Amino acid sequence: MVISSILENDLYKFSMSYYYQVHYPNAWGTFTFHDRNNTEYSEEFVVALKEELKNLASLSLQPSEFDWAVKTIHYIPRCFWEWLCYFRFEADKIGVWIDSEQHLHIEVSDLMYKVTFYEIPIKQVLPEEELNLVIQNATTGKEYVYTIALLNPEDKIIQFIPVTFK
């Protein structure tokens, strides 16, 4: 499983979720992924991606994470973290498909205070599945060009390395 904690998300997402809960509790929204590279994907890739995204449903805020969040993130009240203990990603709400040109589409629709959590985990799972796709297709003669970003301990990009898989 690529993601092991519900806290592997952006602090902004927790802040916005709380804001939506308080100010717009019935607002509905859609997160839409758009692949700007127009990569061509296979049905096998979509199946593997869906399987990995199903694993998100097993994530929940653990007691130690709850304690940490309540102690550390003071501007979001305890009641939000209590609610998050019961939040679960719902795989059936994640629409994943490829169009006739083999381009990937991902959409999630739900209440805004829930849907805001889906973007970062999906973006974390996707590169892992893309790497698996590259490895699986490396012997077919198709060429893939990627750029790997090396990060320092503060997650700042220090070097870009172009990589070609054939």
Side-chain angles (χ1 to χ4, degrees), residues 83-97:
W83 168 81
L84 193 61
C85 289
Y86 296 97
F87 170 81
R88 298 295 181 274
F89 289 99
E90 298 177 60
D92 60 327
K93 292 192 178 199
I94 306 173
V96 180
W97 71 96

Side-chain angles (χ1 to χ4, degrees), residues 149-160:
L150 296 181
L151 306 176
N152 67 12
E154 291 83 36
D155 287 338
K156 303 286 188 218
I157 296 174
I158 57 174
Q159 184 178 1
F160 289 105

